[in-house]
Amino acid sequence: MNNETITKADQVITQTYKRFPIVITRGKGCRVWDSEGRCYTDFVAGIAVCNLGHAHPKITEVLLRQADILLHVSNLYYTVPQVELASWLVENSFADRVFFCNSGAEANEAAIKITRRYFKEKGESERFSIIAMENSFHGRTMATLSATGQEKIRKGYDPVLRGFDFVPFNDIEALKRKVGPSTCGVLIEPVQGEGGVRCPDPEYLKKVRQVCDETGLLLIFDEIQTGIGRTGKLFAYEHFGLEPDIMTLAKALANGLPIGAMLAKEHVASAFGPGSHASTFGGTPIVTSVSLEVLRILSEEKIINHCREVGAYFKERLMWLQNRHGSIVDVRGMGLLLCMELDVEGASILNTCMARGFLINCIQENILRFIPPLIIAKEDIDSLVNCLDEIL
Ligand SMILES: *Cc1c(COP(=O)(O)O)cnc(C)c1O
């Protein structure tokens, strides 16, 4: 069964992914099982998506109930779950309005479009350039890969879209120098995810906010990976004592159903009028009702507190490993967005972990990233740390 699926996949699916040779068939909480019946503790969570773990009974219940009522009608009409989800997000964030779509890239696409349009409406058409960060990741559509500060993501797709400049993350002077007459916004992940789990220096994001205020730029936070509790707050910006003008969400927002959202303050949001932007599937009743349940569980069951607590514990344990093994050059991250940078490639360690029943993630060749469901138990963290200790 296993081999047949893999052989067939290699024939009929575009070869965009380098996959591990297992077929995952089901999950429960922080565990998944493959077609051979092997069990894995999941420290990947669908790349920071399944924050409440797999097959959560309350989510399943809402999904089934809503499937029996209404899946989709288009945004020609009002639907209750979409309005409820938008209200929840507005009440629990800096934002006044929400645009719904289906993925992270689309949410960033909406953020880029609204930023440009905001300045057009103000009569400042010459301001269309967004400053983004080196080593950032914002998606794979033409606009979002143009906004992504990694050569390997852009390679082969020239000419990329005009209107994106890059500066090093955590370098406020470089940002100040880059602002010019065509600059309209700054796009930044408060903690860089795919680029290597890089945290901002203390006060850096506040200074970015200051630069934006002084020069009239819109500040866009890409919280697609950091949002929905991942860093130990509902949104990462809450750690840093400032608010963006625009924020994008996706990944964990519906715990595995595809959803994206672009949130903005009123003065920015009003740049989107009827017909200016749209998405057929954006905010369907099925996806938004699930998302609303995800957010209810997250707040009612105090899962973000748990994330902060076990995240701190996990980081301590990783630093303990670092003390014991010279090949670990750095341990970084916040909440349950953590990583361990190695002075060797991470692939063989990852494969050994997998053989021993742990799914972990390797980015940029030598950085092991740990992004488990936020409900992960300390015992599971200990088991992984012991496994890593033995392998190293
Ligand atoms: C995953 C990710 C994206 C892209 O999301 P997709 O849903 O894959 O389009 C964009 N920005 C950040 C920070 C991400 O982590």
Side-chain angles (χ1 to χ4, degrees), residues 5-43:
T5 305
I6 292 169
T7 309
K8 194 72 193 167
D10 290 345
Q11 291 164 358
V12 297
I13 298 174
T14 55
Q15 311 238 321
T16 43
Y17 307 102
K18 191 163 157 272
R19 297 182 206 254
F20 298 102
I22 59 171
V23 181
I24 295 180
T25 51
R26 72 192 166 90
K28 186 75 196 168
C30 297
R31 313 254 187 273
V32 295
W33 285 265
D34 70 12
S35 53
E36 316 270 89
R38 282 181 299 232
C39 176
Y40 304 86
T41 306
D42 186 3
F43 283 84

Side-chain angles (χ1 to χ4, degrees), residues 103-105 108 137-139 189 194 222 224-225 251:
S103 68
N108 283 335
F137 181 75
H138 299 298
E189 300 156 83
E194 303 305 304
D222 178 343
I224 288 162
Q225 187 157 150
K251 290 204 161 87

